Amino acid sequence: MRTVTIADVAKHAGVAVSTVSYVLSGKRAISATTRQRVLESVRTLGYHPNAGARALASKRANVIALVLPLRAGMNLPVLMQFATSVVTTARQYDHDVLLMTADEGPDGLRRVAASALVDGLLLMDVEIHDPRVPLLRELTEPSVLIGFPADPEGLTCVDLDFARAGALCVDHLVDLGHREIALLGAPRVVYERGTGFAERTMAGFADEMRRRGLVPDARPCEESFDEVYEAVKLLLEERPGVSGIVVHNESAAGHVLGALRMLGRRVPEDVSVVAICPDDVAERAGPALTSVLIPAGDVGDQAVRLLMAKLDGQQVPQSTLLQPRLTVRESTR
Amino acid sequence: MRTVTIADVAKHAGVAVSTVSYVLSGKRAISATTRQRVLESVRTLGYHPNAGARALASKRANVIALVLPLRAGMNLPVLMQFATSVVTTARQYDHDVLLMTADEGPDGLRRVAASALVDGLLLMDVEIHDPRVPLLRELTEPSVLIGFPADPEGLTCVDLDFARAGALCVDHLVDLGHREIALLGAPRVVYERGTGFAERTMAGFADEMRRRGLVPDARPCEESFDEVYEAVKLLLEERPGVSGIVVHNESAAGHVLGALRMLGRRVPEDVSVVAICPDDVAERAGPALTSVLIPAGDVGDQAVRLLMAKLDGQQVPQSTLLQPRLTVRESTR
DNA sequence: CCTTCGCATCGAAGCGCTTCGACGACACCG
DNA sequence: CGGTGTCGTCGAAGCGCTTCGATGCGAAGG
């Protein structure tokens, strides 16, 4: 069962190889009748263009690299949602996705780019001082980053507007009448790593609090139940008047509710809680959490569109911030 | 900045193109001095073989497809861990990984296989009656499945031995002296989908219970806190003597602990809980859960090895079951 | 009626690599 | 000392596709 080549299709349809190619690519006008004949031959023979040959001749692999962080502590659901939307959107542009892990480092990127395995790169979870950023600048292949390095000059970056997300939580709680509000953030290590999004949320939270004439109180928060419990307990002891809590830590969100329950605080009667997390986590919690959505799907989608535009030679904005959206559920009042 | 080709390397080293190729592939003997000279040229010029050309000439893309399920309700951490280990192991064999989603269906598989984009396929989360299985049988490209379809004849399947995992939980609890033991499983929809692993766990649990002269009680379990709470409440009402609970539902595991706490049962003093879940989930819970590990990493690793063996023309076993391992933590006594 | 033009199609030249057969050079054997 | 290998290297033929320039043809124009 030899595989079907373009030559087989050409012979079957009684045309030249180049004609088949033009029918398939649409790069030259072909008469309707010929086109039909060719397409039918393609169908009956079950022809699939050889990817390698196509890449070699056209200098386009129609594959993009998706570089995901794999270190533990990543926000898995968000990551998966993101990956899924990247693959789905890429397919809409007739591209496939090569999966890479961040631990291949700059060398891995150089390898796939230089070998023409991929036409462009999508990097998730870029850090403030990311060793891969200088490389991306010198690569001829276009790239799109999720997250912001210290200096985004000359790059294309996409992210959720985390500062706005933090502010949004404040707005919601203050509008409900709460005055004493605290933020429980990501584990300390995340801030130390300098991924950016955690700081930006805190900053947005703090700025908005101050703008409203209130005193911000923001703290990192670990992820195990016991540590969350201790953090909540400490918070309530130090600031007994706290009536609003913003949680920017997906794994901890459920534990915060459990801790409050154990500490005799009812949600939302005594304390209102807003989380910044995916919808499914918010809905699964008891009570269901009012939350600001991390639109991972939109981010992936948008990132692919930007990359495709760059591959197309178009100019794209250096920075794209996606607007967060707050959904009211049962945990705030 | 034209990209460096093998011809450039050959000229720089003063040898024929074919000699460079043989140095790089090791398929023919090359004198040590020539080899050195070539390798040095490769390094100084920064040569990376063009993937398309290589694939075209050698009929090997050095890429494997990884097909992941993307429907909601999947066990994300396990999935990511799996994907990570697949990528890492594939790289050890000098292969890259093309990421696909299950919703591309059989056509997607046919496309990447027929276009020679990939040399082999790795499918995760195969269902009992999976529409892709017949296709895999007729494809010339080798494949490895994670999970078992109804008829694994002629295929290569890898999975955790879930029946054994269920039995292992029973053994642990019974050895501790517990007699009345219940299993809280996956959401009902998972059983209906027929993914297999959930049923197999239940069967292993039930068989071992009966073998021990005990009465099995196994129930599906949804994932939201409220539903878990109701399920636990109902269980305690119907079977007040229950002193051991096996949870085979990662999202629910934490909620089960919370529900028991709210219902006035201490863990492990009043009730012992064993979970079947990844270690990080077990460790993050309060109290830390005694658990049977889902060794997602090993599964991915093993799957890649099997696929590489098949690509190599070797014979491999039709079925590979990975043995589960129980880790005792704080939730059983 | 002959030229001019545009459309539809063809043929051939690569793209960068692997691989096969060939060919010197040299060592070894009888 | 001429055959017979062996080793290391070379040249050339593709792999299946895209793309460029050329070409045949009918319609439009003078």
Side-chain angles (χ1 to χ4, degrees):
Chain A
M1 194 183 92
R2 221 185 87 277
T3 96
V4 182
T5 75
I6 197 173
D8 300 326
V9 175
K11 196 179 303 168
H12 186 273
V15 300
V17 162
S18 49
T19 302
V20 175
S21 177
Y22 286 126
V23 166
L24 262 23
S25 71
K27 293 194 178 177
R28 275 197 191 179
I30 296 288
S31 70
T33 58
T34 310
R35 182 203 316 296
Q36 284 315 315
R37 203 143 33 88
V38 169
L39 289 178
E40 203 173 307
S41 298
V42 165
R43 219 167 302 122
T44 70
L45 297 182
Y47 169 66
H48 289 268
N50 178 295
R54 192 206 276 272
L56 179 56
S58 70
K59 308 203 159 310
R60 294 288 249 95
N62 273 33
V63 175
I64 60 176
L66 171 61
V67 189
L68 295 183
L70 54 18
R71 63 175 152 270
M74 265 312 295
N75 184 323
L76 282 324
V78 165
L79 208 152
M80 271 313 294
Q81 218 177 314
F82 173 72
T84 296
S85 74
V86 165
V87 172
T88 306
T89 308
R91 285 304 304 140
Q92 286 170 17
Y93 287 88
D94 194 31
H95 280 242
D96 280 286
V97 175
L98 196 82
L99 180 63
M100 306 186 61
T101 60
D103 66 349
E104 281 215 54
D107 289 349
L109 302 189
R110 175 168 270 126
R111 180 179 62 84
V112 295
S115 68
L117 231 189
V118 304
D119 304 322
L121 305 161
L122 225 54
L123 312 221
M124 189 172 182
D125 207 30
V126 172
E127 301 182 0
I128 296 286
H129 295 288
D130 201 302
R132 299 166 300 181
V133 165
L135 172 65
L136 292 179
R137 286 217 175 76
E138 74 187 45
L139 241 40
T140 54
E141 286 73 12
S143 53
V144 171
L145 318 198
I146 314 302
F148 283 84
D151 174 19
E153 189 55 40
L155 303 172
T156 304
C157 306
V158 186
D159 211 341
L160 174 66
D161 190 342
F162 280 97
R164 186 86 199 79
L168 214 50
C169 295
V170 171
D171 290 343
H172 175 65
L173 290 172
V174 171
D175 290 350
L176 287 172
H178 298 279
R179 313 291 299 166
E180 214 164 325
I181 302 171
L183 168 76
L184 293 176
R188 192 170 297 278
V189 59
V190 171
Y191 294 93
E192 284 159 6
R193 198 164 70 217
T195 311
F197 72 91
E199 287 89 325
R200 272 154 42 219
T201 306
M202 268 202 184
F205 167 82
D207 290 350
E208 184 67 9
M209 283 292 280
R210 279 188 285 265
R211 207 179 64 76
R212 298 271 198 159
L214 303 175
V215 182
D217 178 339
R219 336 174 154 201
C221 178
E222 305 306 315
E223 303 194 327
S224 79
F225 181 82
D226 290 344
E227 287 168 299
V228 172
Y229 178 84
E230 287 307 321
V232 173
K233 187 156 166 244
L234 186 66
L235 173 64
L236 294 179
E237 280 167 15
E238 291 180 9
R239 314 209 36 198
V242 159
S243 68
I245 298 181
V246 177
V247 184
H248 181 207
N249 181 324
E250 187 183 316
S251 307
H255 293 335
V256 168
L257 294 178
L260 285 169
R261 202 153 42 221
M262 287 178 71
L263 291 163
R265 298 297 209 286
R266 290 164 304 164
V267 175
E269 291 82 353
D270 304 326
V271 180
S272 285
V273 177
V274 184
I276 300 176
C277 68
D279 276 346
D280 60 326
V281 171
E283 280 160 10
R284 198 132 59 212
L289 286 162
T290 292
S291 72
V292 168
L293 173 64
I294 298 182
D298 295 352
V299 174
D301 191 275
Q302 188 60 25
V304 172
R305 286 183 205 291
L306 286 169
L307 187 54
M308 291 300 150
K310 288 181 88 169
L311 282 172
D312 231 45
Q314 297 170 32
Q315 223 41 31
V316 303
Q318 170 175 313
S319 148
T320 306
L321 282 179
L322 268 39
Q323 288 311 302
R325 228 191 40 234
L326 186 140
T327 303
V328 178
R329 297 201 182 78
E330 304 161 9
S331 66
T332 52
R333 168 182 297 184
Chain B
M1 194 185 94
R2 223 184 86 275
T3 96
V4 182
T5 75
I6 196 174
D8 300 327
V9 175
K11 195 177 307 167
H12 186 272
V15 299
V17 163
S18 50
T19 301
V20 176
S21 178
Y22 286 126
V23 166
L24 261 22
S25 72
K27 294 195 177 174
R28 276 198 190 178
I30 297 288
S31 70
T33 59
T34 312
R35 182 203 317 297
Q36 284 317 315
R37 202 144 32 89
V38 169
L39 290 178
E40 203 174 306
S41 298
V42 165
R43 220 167 303 120
T44 70
L45 297 182
Y47 169 66
H48 289 268
N50 179 295
R54 192 206 277 272
L56 179 56
S58 69
K59 309 201 158 308
R60 292 291 246 89
N62 273 34
V63 175
I64 61 176
L66 171 60
V67 188
L68 295 183
L70 52 15
R71 64 172 151 273
M74 264 311 295
N75 184 323
L76 281 325
V78 166
L79 208 150
M80 271 311 295
Q81 218 177 316
F82 173 74
T84 297
S85 75
V86 165
V87 172
T88 306
T89 308
R91 285 302 306 141
Q92 285 170 18
Y93 287 87
D94 195 30
H95 280 243
D96 281 287
V97 175
L98 196 82
L99 179 62
M100 306 186 59
T101 60
D103 66 349
E104 280 214 55
D107 289 350
L109 301 190
R110 174 168 271 127
R111 179 179 64 84
V112 295
S115 67
L117 231 189
V118 304
D119 304 322
L121 305 161
L122 225 55
L123 314 218
M124 190 174 182
D125 207 31
V126 171
E127 300 183 2
I128 297 285
H129 296 290
D130 201 301
R132 298 167 300 182
V133 164
L135 171 65
L136 292 180
R137 286 215 175 77
E138 74 187 45
L139 241 39
T140 53
E141 285 74 12
S143 53
V144 171
L145 319 196
I146 313 303
F148 282 84
D151 175 18
E153 188 57 39
L155 302 172
T156 304
C157 305
V158 186
D159 212 344
L160 174 65
D161 190 343
F162 281 98
R164 187 84 198 81
L168 214 51
C169 295
V170 172
D171 290 344
H172 175 64
L173 291 172
V174 171
D175 290 351
L176 287 172
H178 298 278
R179 312 293 297 167
E180 212 163 326
I181 302 170
L183 169 76
L184 293 176
R188 193 171 296 280
V189 60
V190 171
Y191 294 93
E192 284 160 4
R193 197 164 71 216
T195 312
F197 72 90
E199 288 90 323
R200 276 157 36 221
T201 306
M202 267 202 186
F205 168 82
D207 289 351
E208 183 68 9
M209 284 292 280
R210 280 188 285 264
R211 207 180 64 75
R212 298 273 197 156
L214 302 174
V215 182
D217 179 338
R219 336 175 154 198
C221 178
E222 305 307 315
E223 303 194 325
S224 78
F225 181 81
D226 291 345
E227 288 168 299
V228 172
Y229 178 83
E230 287 307 322
V232 173
K233 189 159 166 237
L234 186 67
L235 173 64
L236 294 179
E237 280 166 15
E238 289 179 10
R239 315 207 39 197
V242 158
S243 68
I245 298 182
V246 178
V247 184
H248 180 208
N249 182 324
E250 190 185 313
S251 306
H255 294 334
V256 168
L257 294 178
L260 286 169
R261 203 156 36 220
M262 286 179 70
L263 291 163
R265 298 297 209 287
R266 289 165 305 164
V267 175
E269 290 83 353
D270 304 325
V271 181
S272 284
V273 177
V274 184
I276 300 176
C277 68
D279 276 346
D280 60 326
V281 172
E283 281 161 11
R284 198 135 53 212
L289 287 161
T290 292
S291 72
V292 168
L293 174 63
I294 298 182
D298 295 353
V299 173
D301 191 275
Q302 187 60 26
V304 171
R305 285 182 206 291
L306 287 168
L307 187 54
M308 291 301 150
K310 288 180 87 168
L311 282 172
D312 230 45
Q314 296 171 35
Q315 226 37 36
V316 305
Q318 171 176 311
S319 149
T320 307
L321 282 179
L322 267 40
Q323 290 310 302
R325 226 190 45 233
L326 186 138
T327 303
V328 178
R329 296 200 181 79
E330 304 162 9
S331 66
T332 53
R333 166 181 298 182

